[in-house]
Amino acid sequence: MTEWTLSRALNEALRHALRADGRVLVFGEDVGVSGGVFRVTDGLQAEFGDTRVFDTPISEAAIVGSAVGLAFAGWRPVIELQFDAFSYPAFEQIVDHVAKMRMRTRGRVDMPITIRIPSFGGIKGKEHHGESPETYYAHTAGLKVVVPSNPQDGYALLQHAIRDPDPVVVLEPKARYWTKGHVDLTADEREIGRGRVIRDGRDVTLVAYGSMVARITEAAAQLADAGIDARVVDLRSLSPLPDDLLRACAEQTGRIVVVHEAPRHAGFGAEIAARTMELAFDSLAAPIARVTGWDAPYPPASLEDGYLPSVDRIVAVTKETVAY
Amino acid sequence: MTEWTLSRALNEALRHALRADGRVLVFGEDVGVSGGVFRVTDGLQAEFGDTRVFDTPISEAAIVGSAVGLAFAGWRPVIELQFDAFSYPAFEQIVDHVAKMRMRTRGRVDMPITIRIPSFGGIKGKEHHGESPETYYAHTAGLKVVVPSNPQDGYALLQHAIRDPDPVVVLEPKARYWTKGHVDLTADEREIGRGRVIRDGRDVTLVAYGSMVARITEAAAQLADAGIDARVVDLRSLSPLPDDLLRACAEQTGRIVVVHEAPRHAGFGAEIAARTMELAFDSLAAPIARVTGWDAPYPPASLEDGYLPSVDRIVAVTKETVAY
Amino acid sequence: MAEPHPQPPAHWSGSEPRQVVAPDGSLVGALPDDLDTTALRELYRWMVVARRLDRECIALQRQGELTVYPGHEGQEAAQVGSAWALGRDDFVWPTFRELPVALIRGVDAVQYLQYHRGTWHGGPYDPRATHFGPICIPIATQVAHAAGYALGRQLDASDDVTIAYFGDGATSEGDFHEAANLAGVRRLPLVLFCQNNGWAISVPTASQTAGEIWRRAEGYGFPGVRVDGNDVLAVYEVTREAVARARAGDGPTLIEALTYRIGAHSTADDAGRYRADPDVEAARAFDPIPRFRTWLVGAGHADDAFVAACDEEAETFALTVREGVVATPGPPAEWAFDWVYAEPPATFERMRDEALATERR
Amino acid sequence: MAEPHPQPPAHWSGSEPRQVVAPDGSLVGALPDDLDTTALRELYRWMVVARRLDRECIALQRQGELTVYPGHEGQEAAQVGSAWALGRDDFVWPTFRELPVALIRGVDAVQYLQYHRGTWHGGPYDPRATHFGPICIPIATQVAHAAGYALGRQLDASDDVTIAYFGDGATSEGDFHEAANLAGVRRLPLVLFCQNNGWAISVPTASQTAGEIWRRAEGYGFPGVRVDGNDVLAVYEVTREAVARARAGDGPTLIEALTYRIGAHSTADDAGRYRADPDVEAARAFDPIPRFRTWLVGAGHADDAFVAACDEEAETFALTVREGVVATPGPPAEWAFDWVYAEPPATFERMRDEALATERR
Ligand SMILES: Cc1ncc(C[n+]2csc(CCOP(=O)(O)OP(=O)(O)O)c2C)c(N)n1
Ligand SMILES: Cc1ncc(C[n+]2csc(CCOP(=O)(O)OP(=O)(O)O)c2C)c(N)n1
Ligand SMILES: [Mg+2]
Ligand SMILES: [Mg+2]
């Protein structure tokens, strides 16, 4: 057991992967000598050299496109796209090629590509630095999409993503990079596709991923004072979706509140709601509620707090759902 | 009343817009002398000259990016991105700029940009020519997204999209381009944001957009023979969502089946299901069902029929929903 | 053979391209020193075989045996000449128009054509075995894959060379630029081979770019060369030089091969809407095949018997391929799911089962 | 003033840049013929004002009055010289580092800094009134907007010129390429102004591209020029020429201005992690301000009193801006919704009401 920040845990996961597999490459913008805007690649170039860990020109499409070619050449690319919105210039390469190439080659060529994207808001950042791109990637068949919310998951999920023979998009919540937590280096369950119940509860289930997990956890504590026993679920994997867990929560608590930062319209919360309804309609005692960012562009720093789901909003909506 | 194909109706809508407003520009790849891969811009360059209607280099990001600049210069760009998947190279420009620019300028500069994208499958086309990109755009705050399913709507929606001061993505169902239908040139209700009930029914509501509207219509006919009275709804607008209509359908039929070509996971059907549940939970007698493309890349032509929701699948699922 | 038309296609104007055999079949440059008679005859044979197969494919499409098919008539020299300069382990990243290259790489034509038959995406041949990448439709995106593959071989300290094929229109895409710039920065063992055939569907090269494509190279810090793309020997020579540079670790080369798309963009395209037949007829005067035949026979490397034999072989081959194509059945339903993931998630497998059950219903 | 260091920054090597005043302040080129003493003094004044404001902004950030702030120290000549060559109706498309250009365009500094204060995106100034586009962070994307704007003015038969600012790193993006190529094809009245400051955050220009940036132009069919970006007069001259060409309908020009980013990439960046202080010190020897002052005073266009007056004005201005910035309140909650749509859909308005109700709760 060690105490690490999420940034450090991800850094150690990369270090571990680079050590364990000589075919692993880490590249992107400023990941080399500078160690990455969020220090996630700190010290890796010094330790593994600039053939294993290197900077690229500012060319997102070529970063992802070259990862596809590197996979054909038997390498295992782990790439960083510097911020959520800066993954969009590579969208065509991700959707048309990374996600489909293995099928196109009839399984002759795997795409063991890991795409790390510092994502989501909450850091009072500039525009294009607070986007929630998860729905774009989760809706893209052929990709796997995971979101660690704490150092332990960061350490485990990133390693699993790198080892996975399929392309995995790892959305790292910027707002949690500097939050410390215990990391059990020996834990190595097959993580991708499994959610985690962080707090049990009978009255209602709060579901979230990334930074919002901390907020639903806090909300659950406040709800407890109000006599509401809320279960807290960290989804962790958006694709594949841990739908057995969602079914169980619906069956056991009958009420579900989904929380995410992205706009509500066609956001990932819709899939959680629709899927859960399909799986456990008769168990639902209230409509599945969504507490999300508003259907407007991510606002400037000064308006961020009003945009992101606050603990108050989560608590209020949960109370309505329980009272329904 | 005239009888036109969807392609012709869209062509006439563009012609009408070019005549009515001297600031309207039509550009993209092969839209000039050749008249577009699907003939939607046929004859426009000849009639309006190559300053109003022109070809661009194969540069999707620059096509969309230049439309943003043209809007600043007071023009009203109507651009064509040749096929669904070929809108992805411009994804960053659409999401980061087209959708957000008006807000960024505090409303000083409108973005009256129309982005036409021949979309969806069903034409036994090559890969990247059968994609369903609607969720990517519908989830992007700041855009409006419409899908005409017939010549009348094509004629009306495209004109409204062009006149709209906000950016509108028009997803044109390739599979319907050559289908004829009546067009009332005088019809001019404010279309964007409104769905249409194509066939009334009491037992269940079938909801779709684009090419799938024809399939749910056919399914409704077959269901009628089986004694099931199905309402048929053409959504037409994905953003904004005609949610009053969805609520009414849920209240009046209690059962809803959503159909689309895109993969199910985090697809647009999820939003329809989640939103309808929020609005009319107590009226729902069965879980809202989704009949969709599978969560796999769009297959080669030979497998297309098994991928797209067939009338049989729609009928079968609807029967289950009604029997629920 | 047709007399060379005085006016070459518009997009050939500007800098003089490298040339070995002039349109009239006369020798105007130094012969590649490593091509013996057998090799020279092979170049001719492949061009004839490819040309004949192209006609067969168009017929197959008309008969409904293929979906949309993009022909390569007129571009045989650019493709055969460049492909001939590659080593067995060198890797090709094609667009959708490199059937001649595929043949030379040993890709089975029937398998290749499954792509256009609509039975598979990417092409069902094994890209690793053939060193010929999947057919790629999104314009210029394969250039980035090629750069990555070249980087991978470079990191493995291999001396394999990678070649990316693309068209004039592709040079307008951001992906071409990003990949070319990356190739320059890393001095990748990469040959960027542009077939400037004058057209991007209906758009002429002049509306695609105001510069000469080969000149882009200097901005990326590596050499560019312009070659007569209908002169198979010149194409072979410049590609051989580029491959040698790459193999020696001296980095990428951008080759602009001036050729002409004789046919429509594809069987779905009506070229009559945007270009005049006389221009196409004029371009035929620069046809790579009669030009090379004139020189080959004149120089005594081949005789009429050989020429006839090539036509005959091309005929037989085309018909064999036709039989193979017509005989291939559609893929089983499972194939829509079988290779999406190496480790399919449980949710995916449940949906696959649901799908296959529905199919059988 | 500092003696010019023998070694200019690494990325200045290669082709000789245009120069008017050498680093030591001596005149080595022809003076722009349209700058009188008043104008020459203005150029100096703006550089000093901009430099001082930059320092103030960094201080404001440290004190929590601004969020991340990207400084421009060392790039004053490149920005002031080029901005001075623009006409009132010419339109500027900036990145996030063109505060000096903004000042010259008449953008209110307090309003401009709202972007970095985190109270608004894009910048709350009126881009149409100031002819200065919204601050743009996604690298190189504004070059496409600039091309479109230039096309719009061209279609209106106006003789306005558009200028796009971008960095060395931006030249690696597909958007830069697509926009530049489009500019060439349409002969747009566009000036592509690259400030090659040697760094893209931690990545040196040598790792960004293997070519010289100005040489990219030829591949697009228009001229490129390399200029000493720390020589305000040379920058003014080459930009004036480019603007004249554009205004005359002769198309775009790519300008590579060699400068140096003296400060960190932004206040969030620790440059010590990737570059050595001695290099930065060496670069200071090429500082544009003392260089120009030496010449200005030496040539009798200014005296110590004027120099002192500039410093004083800069001081007062910086403090006024500080007061203005510190005084600006955060935006009201409605602003998150007010300008998203010109015609807000009913569903959007319902959500806005829900949101504002929640806020008030
Ligand atoms: C990203 C993208 N945009 C548009 C298209 C549609 N398209 C297919 S072929 C083609 C023209 C390509 O021209 P060129 O690169 O010269 O190759 P050629 O067809 O001449 O071989 C276009 C625009 C595409 N396939 N991909
Ligand atoms: C598309 C995109 N990718 C990455 C970034 C992150 N980023 C911000 S500034 C920067 C470096 C830009 O370098 P350069 O173009 O030389 O401009 P400079 O910062 O030197 O002024 C990067 C990579 C971004 N803003 N946009
Ligand atoms: Mg071409
Ligand atoms: Mg820079």
Side-chain angles (χ1 to χ4, degrees), chain D residues 170-186:
Chain D
T171 64
S172 300
E173 289 280 13
D175 283 34
F176 160 77
H177 168 74
E178 295 188 7
N181 183 58
L182 179 66
V185 169
R186 311 274 315 198

Side-chain angles (χ1 to χ4, degrees), chain A residues 46-69:
Chain A
E47 180 171 348
F48 300 96
D50 61 9
T51 58
R52 302 282 308 280
V53 180
F54 53 89
D55 291 326
T56 65
I58 308 178
S59 310
E60 290 78 13
I63 291 171
V64 175
S66 61
V68 170

Side-chain angles (χ1 to χ4, degrees), chain A residues 14-32:
Chain A
L14 290 172
R15 181 169 286 108
H16 185 283
L18 282 158
R19 281 211 193 103
D21 181 349
R23 301 304 287 178
V24 168
L25 298 175
V26 171
F27 58 97
E29 296 158 12
D30 306 289
V31 300

Side-chain angles (χ1 to χ4, degrees), chain D residues 167-169 195-201:
Chain D
D168 41 287
Q195 293 176 74
N196 182 350
N197 63 6
W199 298 95
I201 306 186

Side-chain angles (χ1 to χ4, degrees), chain A residues 30 33-34 39 42 57-60 82 86 126-129 264 294-303 306 313 316, chain D residues 67-68 115-116 118-119 121-122 137-138 172-173 200-203 208 273 331-332 336-337 348 351 354-355 358-359 361:
Chain A
D30 306 289
V33 58
S34 110
R39 302 281 167 265
D42 195 15
I58 308 178
S59 310
E60 290 78 13
Q82 206 162 59
F86 310 145
K126 296 242 193 288
E127 57 182 342
H128 312 300
H129 293 68
R264 182 184 307 166
W294 308 115
D295 291 342
Y298 198 84
S302 313
L303 295 170
R313 262 170 75 194
Chain D
T67 66
V68 182
Y115 188 85
H116 298 306
T119 58
H121 285 337
I137 278 191
S172 300
E173 289 280 13
I201 306 186
S202 70
V203 178
Q208 197 65 241
R273 299 176 63 91
F337 301 90
F348 177 81
M351 182 178 274
E354 176 192 341
T358 322
E359 288 278 297
R361 258 213 302 251

Side-chain angles (χ1 to χ4, degrees), chain C residues 75 93-98 136 138-144 146 163-172 176-177 179-180 190-197 213-214 216 222 253-257 259:
Chain C
Q75 302 180 214
W93 292 89
T95 71
F96 43 80
R97 208 182 288 285
E98 276 74 54
C136 185
I139 301 301
T141 57
Q142 78 283 5
V143 186
I163 184 169
Y165 285 87
F166 52 91
D168 41 287
T171 64
S172 299
F176 160 76
H177 168 74
L190 179 66
V191 178
L192 296 163
F193 194 92
C194 177
Q195 293 177 74
N196 181 350
N197 63 5
I213 290 164
W214 68 279
R216 296 269 183 87
F222 51 78
T253 305
L254 170 60
I255 297 172
E256 178 189 13
T259 180

Side-chain angles (χ1 to χ4, degrees), chain D residues 158-171:
Chain D
S158 138
D159 69 352
D160 294 344
V161 174
T162 303
I163 183 169
Y165 285 87
F166 52 92
D168 41 287
T171 64

Side-chain angles (χ1 to χ4, degrees), chain A residues 198-199 206 212-222 232:
Chain A
I198 289 185
R199 177 193 196 284
L206 307 182
M212 292 297 110
V213 172
R215 296 204 180 178
I216 58 173
T217 309
E218 192 182 331
Q222 290 189 21
V232 174

